[in-house]
Amino acid sequence: MYEMDQYTVSLLHFDDGIKDESGKVWTAYGGVAVSTDQKIFGNSSLFLDGVDDYLSMPMSSDFSFTGDFTIDAEVFIPSDVIIDSKTTAFGIFQIGNHWNNSQFFEFSITDGFFNVLLYDTNEYLMQMWNPITIAKNVFNHFAVIRKGSQWYAICNGKVVGSVTYNGTFFPSAEVNIGAYLYDGNRQYIKGYIDELRVSKVARWIMSSLNAVADSDRISLSWTTVTDAVGYSVKRSTTPGGPYETIATNITGTSYVDDTVKNGTTYYYVVTYVDCNGHESMNSNEASTTPLESSKALLVVTVIDSSDHDYQLSPTEIDSFVNWFMNHASTDTAGYMLNKKVGTQESKEYLAFEKIISFEIMPLTK
């Protein structure tokens, strides 16, 4: 279950009755109440009978979205509810109302579409009519996200629509859950709503993935996301995917892919999962190409006059020389080097006191 954070302005679990964790007070109409018949988290959800049930509160400045925001909810639609007709809409959330040409924001399900609308004075400022197939008798997760000028409609983790709109929005009147007002007529819905949250931040969006190539490996890094409980790395050899998931449940903000081939360009995205199991949209795509680094031959002569040869990258050679030259101050008596003979790889440890000299020679192909 979600918890209040610095971005959340409304959060209703519908477990302790109709209680908003933000302290806002919602008025129940038509006898609307919580029910234990269906729930996705906790003990209960909000049941609306489709006749006259809904929640409402006066307009709050918290719902004047001048910047990024997210509204999301778990919605259960019973099998007997018709949602393929414009006359029987399933209104999830509405700010303002369509009355006397006033401003309003709404997202709802009607006529086989997931609708997100902004309206003002006989004009749709922004609208997304997104065709979707909605499973009934199960909870579906719906979300509306604004990030900068980009708006997204999401159903069960899939982006079903997006549009660009830069304007601000200052609706008045009321905020409704489970119904919406259109031309003076209130449209009621039948079903269950759980875990409804309104946030002044764009959730489920990542945009900071960075990829750096080295020989035989690519290092990925990204910035932390407050909601994340685990990250997944996805890879493709084609721009834009399709992507294969190569790592999951990463708790940090970096990953090294050492299964790459030098000379091949790889394309990566990262996603995260929140505490309710919802996966974010893909991050920005980062790409790079690992190349065989120039190597040199390190020849170490030890006290029995035998020579030990190692093919190393410039970084590995610099590290060895630094260790050898600073042995007295580091007090490290031994040094480990990777050794490869054919396909056989091993680790060899050199004792400082056994080394007589060493030589570095460039390798010619």
Side-chain angles (χ1 to χ4, degrees):
M1 294 174 62
Y2 296 132
E3 297 181 356
M4 288 289 297
D5 61 21
Q6 60 181 317
Y7 307 109
T8 306
V9 297
S10 187
L11 175 60
L12 297 103
H13 300 300
F14 299 117
D15 280 336
D16 302 319
I18 302 169
K19 175 187 175 183
D20 193 325
E21 301 299 319
S22 72
K24 293 180 174 62
V25 178
W26 296 82
T27 300
Y29 291 92
V32 62
V34 298
S35 168
T36 58
D37 290 345
Q38 303 294 339
K39 63 272 188 185
I40 192 166
F41 298 108
N43 304 312
S44 57
S45 63
L46 183 72
F47 174 66
L48 304 117
D49 64 8
V51 179
D52 56 1
D53 286 2
Y54 71 104
L55 300 179
S56 186
M57 66 171 289
M59 179 59 190
S60 163
S61 60
D62 282 344
F63 300 119
S64 291
F65 299 125
T66 58
D68 297 349
F69 75 91
T70 304
I71 304 173
D72 68 295
E74 305 282 351
V75 180
F76 183 104
I77 303 173
S79 58
D80 61 339
V81 173
I82 300 172
I83 53 174
D84 57 1
S85 168
K86 289 184 178 179
T87 60
T88 53
F90 197 109
I92 301 170
F93 196 88
Q94 183 186 50
I95 305 173
N97 58 61
H98 189 278
W99 196 326
N100 296 327
N101 296 323
S102 61
Q103 289 188 342
F104 77 90
F105 164 87
E106 164 199 321
F107 77 95
S108 60
I109 306 162
T110 180
D111 198 24
F113 288 78
F114 178 16
N115 311 315
V116 183
L117 308 171
L118 277 178
Y119 180 91
D120 186 18
T121 316
N122 286 323
E123 178 185 5
Y124 285 108
L125 305 177
M126 183 282 298
Q127 55 183 321
M128 288 187 283
W129 300 88
N130 311 293
I132 56 173
T133 299
I134 303 168
K136 294 184 178 181
N137 288 331
V138 296
F139 276 98
N140 296 270
H141 181 245
F142 294 95
V144 178
I145 304 171
R146 177 179 179 172
K147 176 66 174 178
S149 62
Q150 199 68 28
W151 296 62
Y152 301 94
I154 294 180
C155 178
N156 295 326
K158 305 288 186 182
V159 178
V160 297
S162 63
V163 69
T164 300
Y165 175 69
N166 287 303
T168 56
F169 185 60
F170 300 95
S172 58
E174 61 194 43
V175 183
N176 296 315
I177 296 174
Y180 70 98
L181 200 61
Y182 185 84
D183 284 341
N185 297 310
R186 200 175 300 279
Q187 305 290 323
Y188 302 103
I189 64 174
K190 180 180 179 180
Y192 301 84
I193 296 178
D194 203 359
E195 203 75 352
L196 188 146
R197 179 175 61 168
V198 182
S199 312
K200 286 196 169 181
V201 68
R203 300 187 188 273
W204 300 300
I205 291 180
M206 297 184 63
S207 59
S208 59
L209 180 61
N210 184 52
V212 177
D214 199 350
S215 177
D216 300 317
R217 65 178 53 203
I218 294 174
S219 298
L220 303 172
S221 61
W222 56 89
T223 55
T224 186
V225 178
T226 302
D227 290 342
V229 296
Y231 300 91
S232 295
V233 174
K234 303 179 183 183
R235 184 183 73 184
S236 177
T237 54
T238 304
Y243 303 101
E244 173 193 6
T245 300
I246 61 172
T248 59
N249 300 319
I250 301 170
T251 56
T253 56
S254 62
Y255 178 77
V256 176
D257 182 6
D258 57 5
T259 64
V260 298
K261 294 181 180 179
N262 290 330
T264 299
T265 300
Y266 293 90
Y267 303 85
Y268 296 89
V269 294
V270 172
T271 63
Y272 73 86
V273 174
D274 68 16
C275 64
N276 281 0
H278 299 309
E279 187 176 22
S280 72
M281 292 187 283
N282 289 340
S283 70
N284 61 295
E285 183 182 75
S287 64
T288 190
T289 307
L291 299 173
E292 184 73 36
S293 60
S294 58
K295 291 190 175 183
L297 186 67
L298 172 67
V299 181
V300 180
T301 303
V302 296
I303 57 175
D304 64 357
S305 298
S306 63
D307 291 334
H308 296 250
D309 300 343
Y310 308 90
Q311 290 187 28
L312 303 175
S313 69
T315 299
E316 291 172 313
I317 292 215
D318 287 346
S319 179
F320 172 80
V321 172
N322 184 66
W323 164 77
F324 187 86
M325 300 303 293
N326 294 283
H327 166 67
S329 60
T330 61
D331 196 26
T332 303
Y335 193 86
M336 186 273 292
L337 287 168
N338 292 309
K339 191 169 186 177
K340 185 174 182 180
V341 179
T343 59
Q344 183 66 39
E345 297 183 3
S346 63
K347 299 182 185 298
E348 186 167 318
Y349 295 84
L350 293 173
F352 180 83
E353 62 183 13
K354 303 293 185 182
I355 299 174
I356 296 177
S357 64
F358 63 86
E359 184 179 6
I360 300 169
M361 297 180 292
L363 285 175
T364 58
K365 296 184 179 180

